[in-house]
């Protein structure tokens, strides 16, 4: 069965650089969620999209932005990266607000 | 606000031992409850879920019962295996809105042969 695809799987950036994380949801899933998991921490909700519109917003810094495109894939854009942004970023998708299926995550390291 | 509290780990057990990982929650309304498992270097996998009071979720020998009276959703397994070693997250989502997940801090389980 198709799963959520995230790219890249690993990303290394310098402070103050920008990063773009991509998420490809399971086909026919219309809702995408982004979570951030710091080292040894629980995942924290960042933002979600339903039918290409932002549906909810959590503790997402102003330096971050995200969108969902017409093909339902989503991108998380992160600017002015800080050391504290180093984390595992998960994308999850769901069909019409039901159970969430998680991708493998993108590990971002900021040096 | 909505929150989940889990017992701290690590929980260290021998193979075939009985497992309990405690989870309690605070929520406005009646949430759905979940257990997710995260193996080293991997993403989150849904282990089991329960959507209303007294529901029992079960999968791969793991069970948890939604107890509204005690606001709990404890995870149990009768006989753990080495391959069960992972981090287990209890989570809730409200049944209104877009159901973002609120996670507990996770409990690391280490099973030795």
């Amino acid at each position: 069965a198709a799963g959520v695809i995230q790219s890249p799987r690993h990303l290394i950036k310098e402070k103050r650089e920008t990063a773009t994380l991509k998420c490809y949801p399971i086909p026919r899933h219309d809702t995408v969620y982004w979570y951030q998991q710091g080292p040894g921490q629980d995942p924290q909700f960042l933002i979600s999209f339903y039918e290409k519109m932002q549906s909810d917003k959590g503790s997402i810094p102003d330096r971050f932005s995200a969108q969902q495109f017409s093909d339902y894939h989503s991108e998380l854009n992160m600017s002015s990266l800080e050391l504290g942004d180093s984390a595992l970023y998960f994308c999850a998708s769901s069909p019409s607000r039901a159970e969430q299926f998680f991708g493998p995550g993108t590990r971002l390291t900021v040096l | 606000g909505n929150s989940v509290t889990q017992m701290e780990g690590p929980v260290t057990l021998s193979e075939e031992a009985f497992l309990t990982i405690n989870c309690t929650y605070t929520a406005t309304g009646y949430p759905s409850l979940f257990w997710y498992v995260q193996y080293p270097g991997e993403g989150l996998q849904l282990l089991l879920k329960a959507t209303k009071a007294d529901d029992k979720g079960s999968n791969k020998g793991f069970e948890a019962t939604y107890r509204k009276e005690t606001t709990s959703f404890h995870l149990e397994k009768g006989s753990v295996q080495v391959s069960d070693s992972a981090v287990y997250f209890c989570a809730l989502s409200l049944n209104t809105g877009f159901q973002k997940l609120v996670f507990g801090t996770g409990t690391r389980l280490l099973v030795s042969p």
Side-chain angles (χ1 to χ4, degrees):
Chain A
V4 176
I5 297 171
Q6 290 188 247
S7 68
R9 293 293 309 277
H10 301 273
L11 190 57
I12 299 174
K13 291 286 185 179
E14 300 277 343
K15 276 171 48 177
R16 292 179 289 278
E17 286 191 320
T18 60
T20 297
L21 279 53
K22 297 184 179 183
C23 169
Y24 297 87
I26 293 171
R28 291 180 293 282
H29 284 196
D30 52 19
T31 308
V32 167
Y33 303 80
W34 286 96
Y35 294 85
Q36 177 192 56
Q37 185 180 26
Q41 304 295 313
D42 56 295
Q44 294 288 320
F45 171 73
L46 292 177
I47 196 167
S48 63
F49 293 88
Y50 170 67
E51 283 291 345
K52 293 155 280 183
M53 299 289 289
Q54 181 180 309
S55 53
D56 198 359
K57 194 171 181 181
S59 49
I60 183 170
D62 292 341
R63 300 177 289 108
F64 293 8
S65 65
Q67 58 181 324
Q68 186 179 32
F69 294 86
S70 58
D71 64 352
Y72 293 96
H73 94 272
S74 178
E75 295 183 5
L76 177 65
N77 297 292
M78 310 158 72
S79 63
S80 303
L81 287 169
E82 302 173 357
L83 296 178
D85 296 329
S86 295
L88 199 53
Y89 290 84
F90 287 110
C91 172
S93 73
S94 71
S96 299
R97 298 184 264 171
E99 174 184 323
Q100 294 180 35
F101 295 82
F102 281 78
T106 294
R107 184 171 297 282
L108 172 66
T109 302
V110 181
L111 302 175
Chain B
N2 303 311
S3 65
V4 176
T5 302
Q6 282 181 243
M7 62 188 289
E8 289 197 20
V11 172
T12 304
L13 295 173
S14 297
E15 206 165 25
E16 299 183 5
F18 184 86
L19 168 71
T20 299
I21 300 178
N22 290 336
C23 169
T24 57
Y25 67 90
T26 301
T28 53
Y30 301 102
S32 293
L33 301 173
F34 306 84
W35 277 100
Y36 281 84
V37 59
Q38 186 175 33
Y39 297 101
E42 296 187 13
L44 294 160
Q45 297 177 28
L46 178 65
L47 182 59
L48 53 83
K49 66 178 181 181
T51 57
K52 60 184 188 298
D54 299 325
D55 268 3
K56 178 186 279 189
S58 60
N59 185 27
K60 300 181 182 178
F62 291 89
E63 292 183 340
T65 301
Y66 189 143
R67 301 285 187 201
K68 188 177 125 184
E69 63 276 12
T70 54
T71 62
S72 65
F73 193 56
H74 305 320
L75 182 68
E76 297 182 336
K77 187 175 186 184
S79 176
V80 293
Q81 305 300 312
V82 173
S83 57
D84 293 327
S85 298
V87 179
Y88 292 81
F89 289 95
C90 185
L92 68 80
S93 72
L94 298 181
N95 291 317
T96 57
F98 287 89
Q99 300 189 321
K100 63 188 176 191
L101 288 164
V102 176
F103 289 89
T105 51
T107 302
R108 182 175 297 279
L109 170 65
L110 300 170
V111 181
S112 56

